């Protein structure tokens, strides 16, 4: 590629003229990371460094891993994967006896590229053993403030939307958000035990003027309504904690104590952008196995493939203490704190072609 001094944006990221434009954002990234690291250490978190090579990349139907081979000393190749999250490894550490742990982990996800997505990105993941997931919500508010202070930003920015990182986030249930922004009664499409009713959702979608495909599942329709109607309205002016997800959309979370239809899962939004995904962690190994099997059945139906289960993870889950855990898209947080338009602008060495 020819370096274009008159139009730096058309030059490769390593061109000096392009790097000069990107460097202030990258230095801001370092300041944000240092601020978050310092706060985590002051809160008693131990920083850990999970290996990326795993027997399973994760078992959610619509997450896609990078596959590779590990060749043993005997010359036999074994299929392995780059993790889509350090979750399985970190929960094993909780089972081992760690109580507060955090990791800035590189993670890999196939089929994901765009202004907000990179095939390789940095995830900040942290866990609190013996603490409820509300503690993670408070952590998120603190991290928004720290990122803004580290970059000197008074507001977070993305595509014309702004969010005050110093304001207390609103806490909104998924059902409330669907009613408010999509005109959908989500809970009416769930049986008392949380089983989704596909036909009820299809009727509600059509009534709200949303498209329904013949082969749509209940989950497909929920995702479409969320992306098209709900997410763009979240985190405007101040951050939003989108809480109490349907249990059918929370494969790794325990159910809330007062409603079998819902789970202890929340997501953090700012400027219409999802930044973090938190859980009151499921510790029932048998239930987790059942959910993973259902997710892999759906993956096989839609994509024609399935990933193995990490049997060590399921064994560790049986002795893991009650805990809450969360994954935050670190690059996205830096984007919003610096006003960068693309995730590749805040990654030191972006993946080729992104």
């Amino acid at each position: 590629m020819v370096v274009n001094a008159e139009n730096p944006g058309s030059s490769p990221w390593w061109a000096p003229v392009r790097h000069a434009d990107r460097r202030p954002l990258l230095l801001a990234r370092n300041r944000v990371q240092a601020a978050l690291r310092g706060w985590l250490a002051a809160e008693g978190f131990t920083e850990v460094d999970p290996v990326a090579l795993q027997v399973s990349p994760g078992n959610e139907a619509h997450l896609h891993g990078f596959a590779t081979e590990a060749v043993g000393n005997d010359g036999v190749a074994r299929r392995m994967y780059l993790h889509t999250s350090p979750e399985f490894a970190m929960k094993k550490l909780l089972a081992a006896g760690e109580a507060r742990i955090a990791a800035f982990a590189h993670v890999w996800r196939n089929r994901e590229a765009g202004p907000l997505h990179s095939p390789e990105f940095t995830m900040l993941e942290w866990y609190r053993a013996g603490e409820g997931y509300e503690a993670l919500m408070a952590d998120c508010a603190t991290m928004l403030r720290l990122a803004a202070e580290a970059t000197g930003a008074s507001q977070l920015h993305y595509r014309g939307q702004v969010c005050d990182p110093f304001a207390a986030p609103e806490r909104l249930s998924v059902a409330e958000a669907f009613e408010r922004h999509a005109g959908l009664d989500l809970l009416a499409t769930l049986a008392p035990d949380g089983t989704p009713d596909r036909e009820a959702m299809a009727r509600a979608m059509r009534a709200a003027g949303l498209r329904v495909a013949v082969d749509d599942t209940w989950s497909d329709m929920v995702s479409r309504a969320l992306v098209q109607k709900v997410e763009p309205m979240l985190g405007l002016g101040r951050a939003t904690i989108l809480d109490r997800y349907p249990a059918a959309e929370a494969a790794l979370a325990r159910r809330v104590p007062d409603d079998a239809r819902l789970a202890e899962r929340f997501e953090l939004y700012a400027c219409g952008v999802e930044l973090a995904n938190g859980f009151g962690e499921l510790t029932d190994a048998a239930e987790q196995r059942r959910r993973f099997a259902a997710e892999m059945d759906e993956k096989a139906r839609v994509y024609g493939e399935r990933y193995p289960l990490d049997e060590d993870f399921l064994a560790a889950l049986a002795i893991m203490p009650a805990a809450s855990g969360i994954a935050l898209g670190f690059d996205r947080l830096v984007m919003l704190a610096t006003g960068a338009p693309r995730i590749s602008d805040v990654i030191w060495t972006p993946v080729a072609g992104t």
Side-chain angles (χ1 to χ4, degrees), residues 316-339:
L317 201 63
I319 64 169
M320 188 184 114
S324 59
I326 186 167
L328 181 145
F330 176 69
D331 314 275
R332 287 187 179 184
L333 177 61
V334 176
M335 281 181 64
L336 269 57
T338 60

Side-chain angles (χ1 to χ4, degrees), residues 141 144 164-169 237-239:
L144 293 180
D164 182 351
F166 303 99
R238 60 174 174 153

